[in-house]
Amino acid sequence: MGHKYVYQFSEGNGKMRELLGGKGANLAEMTNLGMPVPQGFTVTTEACTRYYEDGRAIAPEIQAEILEYLSKLEETTGKQFGNASNPLLVSVRSGARASMPGMMDTILNLGLNDSVVVGLAEKSKNPRFAYDSYRRFIQMFSDVVMELSKSRFEEIIDDVKAKKGVVHDIDLDTEDMKTLVERFKAFYKDEKGEDFPQDPKQQLMEAVKAVFRSWDNDRANVYRRMNEIPYDWGTAVNVQSMVFGNFGSTSGTGVAFTRNPATGEKHLFGEYLINAQGEDVVAGVRTPSNISKLQEEMPEVYNQFAAIASKLEQHYKDMQDMEFTIENGKLYMLQTRNGKRTAAAALKIAVDLVDEGAITEKEAVLRVEPKQLDSLLHPQFDADALKKAVPIGKGLAASPGAACGKVVFTAEDAKEWTDRGEQVILVRLETSPEDIEGMHAAKGILTVRGGMTSHAAVVARGMGTCCVSGCGEIVVDYAKKQFELGGKVYQEGQYISLDGSTGNIYGEAIPTVPADVSSGDFGRFMEWADRYRQLEVYTNADTPTDARQGRAFGAQGIGLCRTEHMFFEESRIKAMREMIVADNEADRRRALAKLLPFQQSDFEGIYEAMEGHPVVIRFLDPPLHEFLPTKEEDIREIANEMGITVEKLHNVISSLHEFNPMMGHRGCRLAVSYPEIAEMQATAIITAALNVQKKHPDWTMVPEMMIPLVGEVKELKYVKDVVVAVADKLIAESGLSMKYEVGTMIEIPRAALTADEIAKEAEFFSFGTNDLTQMTFGFSRDDAAKFLSYYYDKKVYESDPFAHLDQKGVGKLVDMAVKLGRSVRPEMHLGICGEHGGDPTSVEFCHRVGLNYVSCSPYRVPIARLAAAQAAIKNPRK
């Protein structure tokens, strides 16, 4: 018995996701539950991996196994593949372990050819259905398997409809369908130089190959990178006997959710089309009916479906997204999966399921993706402005949120405009999976066609992007880059606003207001997250405004306050420049004395905003050249202002020029060269803390001063001695007793390697993983983006190491530094303050290596709180 690559639905179960993919595992599970599932088999994810190992070919023994399972399916169904008098037709669909909606294409009606279609027409006594199925198969097979243009087929359909003088596909009769089949086959032959394949087994192998191939297409790779799905997981292929929703007026197909995926309300939510096949609903070719109408049209089918839906939700203990087909009044279930939902719906469903007794608080905390919370933290439309605004049209409220931006008409433009710093709204007839990058870039998506379960709606909900779909009154003209609605024309670049919660479209920019996160489902849910997490969550904040925002989102302290951002303000930059051009200590001190009061009042503002919670302040980090002008006219003006010659300023600028400033004269190296800078900053920090302590005797002020870019313990000791001398003197003079800490940022590999030595002087560590990543990889983070795309294309890297912490390399340095540091100071407080502090998988890593806190930008604080809770539930600390 060789390795098993194929499983019948009846052989699998829901726990076999890794092997059978999500769709295959759920089809097996529904089969085990005795639900009406058209039978079939799954080709495993291992077969996909093997296909790539074998140079993109399906090994002969796998092909043989597929054909063996095909004959088992023939026995089960009592039909035969390729037999005109009793034909078996199948659908071929992909199914990865993680749900990737719209990433892979489906092929329906496979097994049809010129002779089988005749047999199907006779056997079904429904020739229109048979030729409709055949033309659909030719179209899908050509598009998905042979990569011919989908739109050329649509043009042929439009031409046939125009000649006949009808608007809808449904108005075409049997003869028209036969015409389409002939024209499609002729087009195929023109394009491919050969006839459309007539051997069903060849059709099947080509289709399986196409699904495997689609795992590596551009849009799948982009989606995987956005959602951190490993490339080596592969996709499974499901081959399922066909049931036909396009059989006539008692047949149909639909998609439904057990709860509303936009709001989370508990009622069946979905839509269906009579006399249609699955892709019609998802592609948004026709606008479907609401599932509630099925209750009037086919009450028995509706009741059976509602019972199955409720049983599936109880079984999976989560909201389900189901596809079904009705053939001649009989219901079939084609798939179920945990449904994609908006963040607001995810919270409501999680909280409701706890209240219904279906799941525990811990399980609820695991139900919401941390990244999803992002959409709830962002502004909503200002209610007053919204009342005054008059909608120009209305579509379906497909994905909530408030979006305002300039109109663009292609995914490429959306990406390009966003890269330039514009906010855009993508307007399309309908979206397709290749639009994914543009959809990701846009603030909102507006489509003319498609329902609540169309590609645009499902993908937008998953990304937390506002979407209004199916506004059929819009007339889009791609060539002129404009659309018409309500009698007015809107050009590319004009502002519109979308309300994804009502479906309203406004022809103007509407102002927005910040979100509320402390009450309702959000508040309750985050209380649970805080109850189970073990990591503290701090925020990175350089101003009192950022500090207050971080606190509002639940931050427990500031893990990084960057002091240099304060020097760029106009009133201060002049004194900073005076310090830089000074060529002796006395002049430097004079300039620093001007900066001192600014720094001190900044720190007081931040301490006030944080109300006695911890604040870690980083000493000056960037190279000095960043504070000097680069343009000739600015250099003239500034030299003039400072009363020095243009030549002298040029000399200073060229003397500060560095070939690699990221590895140059910056961080603690400045304080070693000019200790008076560190003296001024320590004075400002300690004085501010003392002043705030006097005003608020009940707060415990413990200033934490962080020396950046340390690589050697002696360098830290030198700067620390300067800081301690200043601090001790000021505290003694104040008459107050105040503790303070001096620590360092671990951002140079040598610091991680010698962390036990550094811990003798440093009272805390904070990992600056942006720089640590840059220096460990030897990448410049400002320039790496230029070449990393080649690395993704060639699968050298799967994700951006600046977005997701590289756990193998950089992570090993962090882990080592934690262990070495604690070997010297067992109670040492350790944190991370790079961008990774707000990235869910990186937060999980921080929990596992035993850090005390993560610090991230204010808007990522709730995301980190949830990610930390999930990490603690999945990997409890001893």
Side-chain angles (χ1 to χ4, degrees):
M1 194 45 212
H3 190 83
K4 184 170 164 72
Y5 284 105
V6 186
Y7 287 79
Q8 283 176 292
F9 294 165
S10 53
E11 294 179 291
N13 64 55
K15 295 194 173 62
M16 294 170 67
R17 284 183 82 87
E18 297 191 4
L19 200 56
L20 304 178
K23 192 169 282 176
N26 288 337
L27 284 166
E29 191 75 357
M30 287 200 291
T31 300
N32 295 338
L33 289 168
M35 292 179 178
V37 175
Q39 282 307 290
F41 56 86
T42 302
V43 185
T44 64
T45 54
E46 293 176 346
C48 179
T49 311
R50 175 86 190 266
Y51 162 84
Y52 284 104
E53 282 168 8
D54 293 346
R56 300 188 173 226
I58 302 177
E61 69 267 29
I62 298 180
Q63 298 206 32
E65 202 177 335
I66 290 172
L67 295 175
E68 178 198 331
Y69 275 79
L70 183 67
S71 56
K72 289 185 181 178
L73 184 60
E74 290 177 327
E75 283 167 34
T76 311
T77 56
K79 297 174 180 177
Q80 269 186 309
F81 209 46
N83 176 339
S85 57
N86 184 20
L88 168 67
L89 301 184
V90 295
S91 66
V92 177
R93 314 166 108 170
S94 71
R97 277 193 220 184
S99 164
M100 296 172 68
M103 285 301 115
M104 315 281 172
D105 297 295
T106 297
I107 301 144
L108 302 178
N109 312 312
L110 190 140
L112 278 170
N113 59 22
D114 292 351
S115 63
V116 171
V117 71
V118 178
L120 186 66
E122 284 173 14
K123 186 165 192 265
S124 65
K125 302 187 177 45
N126 188 341
R128 184 193 179 280
F129 146 75
Y131 286 94
D132 177 36
S133 301
Y134 193 21
R135 71 90 194 164
R136 286 169 184 272
F137 170 55
I138 297 169
Q139 192 175 349
M140 291 174 113
F141 188 88
S142 305
D143 167 32
V144 177
V145 180
M146 295 299 169
E147 299 176 330
L148 295 180
S149 153
K150 201 185 311 188
S151 58
R152 293 287 295 278
F153 290 99
E154 295 291 343
E155 283 163 22
I156 297 172
I157 297 175
D158 287 344
D159 184 53
V160 170
K161 286 196 290 200
K163 285 193 174 126
K164 189 167 186 181
V166 299
V167 181
H168 298 292
D169 296 4
I170 216 151
D171 299 323
L172 297 175
D173 60 23
T174 308
E175 289 313 308
D176 301 320
M177 291 298 173
K178 287 183 175 173
T179 306
L180 284 180
V181 167
E182 290 316 311
R183 287 187 59 179
F184 281 4
K185 286 197 311 191
F187 170 61
Y188 184 95
K189 190 165 185 175
D190 279 352
E191 292 285 315
K192 297 302 262 188
E194 58 186 34
D195 286 323
F196 186 81
Q198 294 290 307
D199 173 5
K201 288 179 179 170
Q202 184 200 344
Q203 294 171 356
L204 179 62
M205 286 309 162
E206 288 302 323
V208 171
K209 218 180 287 178
V211 172
F212 287 158
R213 195 174 62 221
S214 71
W215 177 249
D216 192 31
N217 68 26
D218 291 345
R219 63 185 193 237
N221 285 322
V222 167
Y223 188 90
R224 270 203 297 281
R225 219 170 25 254
M226 283 177 356
N227 295 282
E228 290 177 84
I229 296 170
Y231 177 70
D232 59 16
W233 278 9
T235 179
V237 183
N238 297 292
V239 178
Q240 190 171 22
S241 51
M242 279 296 298
V243 285
F244 300 98
N246 59 334
F247 212 86
S249 60
T250 57
S251 300
T253 184
V255 175
F257 295 81
T258 53
R259 299 180 188 227
N260 184 319
T263 64
E265 284 168 85
K266 189 175 181 176
H267 60 84
L268 261 187
F269 173 94
E271 31 192 34
Y272 70 101
L273 279 167
I274 289 292
N275 199 10
Q277 283 197 328
E279 83 273 21
D280 297 353
V281 182
V282 181
V285 182
R286 283 161 53 196
T287 300
S289 315
N290 191 305
I291 189 96
S292 58
K293 198 160 184 294
L294 190 61
Q295 207 166 358
E296 301 160 26
E297 292 191 337
M298 304 185 199
E300 293 89 37
V301 171
Y302 178 84
N303 292 339
Q304 187 192 355
F305 178 72
I308 287 176
S310 151
K311 185 172 174 184
L312 282 172
E313 184 177 273
Q314 285 164 13
H315 182 75
Y316 286 103
K317 299 192 160 124
D318 202 353
M319 182 261 271
Q320 294 301 294
D321 163 0
M322 303 155 295
E323 283 177 27
F324 62 94
T325 286
I326 303 160
E327 180 182 290
N328 287 333
K330 183 166 168 20
L331 174 71
Y332 292 95
M333 299 298 296
L334 303 184
Q335 82 156 33
T336 191
R337 60 180 176 201
N338 292 345
K340 291 276 173 205
R341 60 203 81 174
T342 63
L347 290 173
K348 179 167 172 55
I349 291 168
V351 169
D352 286 354
L353 286 170
V354 170
D355 290 343
E356 290 162 25
I359 59 175
T360 63
E361 288 176 2
K362 278 187 180 177
E363 285 173 305
V365 168
L366 295 175
R367 284 297 161 83
V368 179
E369 276 182 56
K371 276 203 294 251
Q372 266 198 303
L373 296 180
D374 199 28
S375 60
L376 296 177
L377 308 178
H378 290 285
Q380 306 295 315
F381 286 129
D382 175 317
D384 295 340
L386 199 58
K387 277 193 201 106
K388 294 190 191 106
V390 179
I392 52 170
K394 192 177 168 95
L396 301 172
S399 179
C404 164
K406 295 179 177 178
V407 173
V408 293
F409 293 95
T410 68
E412 293 75 32
D413 287 345
K415 191 173 179 324
E416 199 177 294
W417 286 45
T418 303
D419 289 345
R420 289 207 300 265
E422 303 270 13
Q423 301 204 334
V424 300
I425 300 232
L426 177 62
V427 180
R428 301 280 302 157
L429 274 170
E430 61 202 17
T431 63
S432 71
E434 42 268 22
D435 295 329
I436 179 112
E437 279 194 276
M439 294 171 73
H440 194 58
K443 290 282 173 235
I445 298 158
L446 174 59
T447 68
V448 181
R449 301 203 280 244
M452 297 292 279
T453 53
S454 63
H455 174 266
V458 171
V459 173
R461 282 198 290 269
M463 293 200 282
T465 302
C466 163
C467 174
V468 173
S469 67
C471 177
E473 292 78 67
I474 293 178
V475 181
V476 171
D477 185 333
Y478 285 144
K480 287 190 184 159
K481 294 197 167 182
Q482 64 180 48
F483 74 88
E484 201 180 315
L485 178 60
K488 272 182 78 174
V489 172
Y490 296 85
Q491 308 281 354
E492 177 182 74
Q494 266 181 271
Y495 273 104
I496 62 167
S497 299
L498 303 180
D499 187 336
S501 310
T502 60
N504 284 341
I505 304 157
Y506 301 91
E508 61 193 295
I510 300 174
T512 55
V513 294
D516 165 38
V517 297
S518 54
S519 56
D521 294 335
F522 201 150
R524 266 185 81 191
F525 180 82
M526 292 310 290
E527 268 174 39
W528 299 336
D530 291 340
R531 184 175 307 160
Y532 296 111
R533 71 183 159 88
Q534 290 158 315
L535 276 172
E536 296 169 330
V537 178
Y538 289 12
T539 187
N540 298 346
D542 311 330
T543 64
T545 312
D546 285 352
R548 279 190 290 273
Q549 183 64 74
R551 288 277 296 134
F553 285 153
Q556 296 161 282
I558 290 180
L560 175 64
C561 171
R562 309 173 188 84
T563 50
E564 58 274 0
H565 288 189
M566 307 168 175
F567 293 140
F568 285 102
E569 271 184 42
E570 262 176 58
S571 51
R572 313 165 179 203
I573 189 87
K574 190 168 172 239
M576 188 67 186
R577 285 168 174 161
E578 282 174 24
M579 183 203 75
I580 294 168
V581 300
D583 46 19
N584 60 69
E585 189 182 329
D587 287 353
R588 259 198 306 280
R589 285 189 180 276
R590 239 193 313 281
L592 286 165
K594 294 182 188 175
L595 286 169
L596 177 66
F598 291 126
Q599 284 255 282
Q600 186 187 313
S601 69
D602 285 337
F603 296 141
E604 284 180 19
I606 284 170
Y607 283 138
E608 288 279 355
M610 291 312 287
E611 303 176 334
H613 287 81
V615 176
V616 178
I617 297 173
R618 179 178 76 184
F619 278 45
L620 189 63
D621 184 55
L624 296 177
H625 76 87
E626 286 192 12
F627 299 98
L628 292 176
T630 50
K631 293 195 186 113
E632 189 56 45
E633 63 263 33
D634 293 342
I635 292 173
R636 285 223 155 78
E637 190 187 325
I638 284 158
N640 225 355
E641 258 182 42
M642 293 175 66
I644 57 172
T645 64
V646 172
E647 188 189 11
K648 174 164 184 191
L649 187 51
H650 263 298
N651 289 342
V652 172
I653 291 169
S654 61
S655 74
L656 288 174
H657 171 78
E658 293 176 307
F659 285 104
N660 194 340
M662 289 311 292
M663 299 172 81
H665 196 189
R666 53 174 282 233
C668 64
R669 300 158 194 174
L670 287 170
V672 170
S673 314
Y674 311 122
E676 50 276 18
I677 298 179
E679 276 178 33
M680 183 279 284
Q681 293 202 290
T683 306
I685 292 168
I686 296 294
T687 311
L690 289 167
N691 288 350
V692 172
Q693 181 74 79
K694 281 176 198 152
K695 270 172 65 184
H696 302 278
D698 51 333
W699 295 357
T700 313
M701 301 294 297
V702 182
E704 296 182 53
M705 293 174 276
M706 180 155 71
I707 313 298
L709 223 73
V710 165
E712 157 62 49
V713 65
K714 290 182 201 153
E715 154 186 63
L716 172 61
K717 180 165 172 36
Y718 177 83
V719 182
K720 183 184 171 186
D721 288 347
V722 172
V723 170
V724 166
V726 170
D728 288 351
K729 181 167 175 283
L730 289 168
I731 292 170
E733 286 169 3
S734 75
L736 295 173
S737 63
M738 189 166 74
K739 288 202 184 92
Y740 62 90
E741 288 187 358
V742 180
T744 187
M745 209 153 169
I746 305 278
E747 51 193 327
I748 287 182
R750 192 176 188 278
L753 298 168
T754 61
D756 48 348
E757 290 184 22
I758 289 175
K760 291 181 182 138
E761 293 294 336
E763 296 172 274
F764 63 85
F765 288 164
S766 178
F767 291 91
T769 51
N770 306 356
D771 266 356
L772 191 58
T773 297
Q774 167 166 268
M775 303 218 208
T776 304
F777 277 92
F779 287 163
S780 155
R781 65 179 155 151
D782 301 322
D783 304 315
K786 291 183 192 134
F787 59 81
L788 279 176
S789 57
Y790 299 108
Y791 275 57
Y792 304 142
D793 293 346
K794 300 191 164 84
K795 308 287 183 306
V796 178
Y797 289 153
E798 288 191 36
S799 68
D800 175 351
F802 293 107
H804 306 300
L805 185 72
D806 158 49
Q807 299 184 13
K808 266 195 189 135
V810 180
K812 196 178 269 185
L813 286 171
V814 172
D815 190 31
M816 179 189 294
V818 168
K819 293 191 170 94
L820 289 172
R822 288 217 171 112
S823 72
V824 174
R825 285 184 195 261
E827 295 306 305
M828 196 173 200
H829 207 228
L830 304 175
I832 175 180
C833 59
E835 287 301 301
H836 297 118
D839 167 58
T841 45
S842 308
V843 171
E844 184 170 339
F845 170 80
C846 294
H847 169 86
R848 286 204 311 272
V849 296
L851 298 188
N852 300 92
Y853 68 91
V854 296
S855 189
C856 55
S857 62
Y859 277 91
R860 297 194 76 83
V861 166
I863 296 171
R865 285 163 63 198
L866 177 52
Q870 294 184 350
I873 291 167
K874 289 181 207 158
N875 316 280
R877 287 182 182 171
K878 306 283 174 285

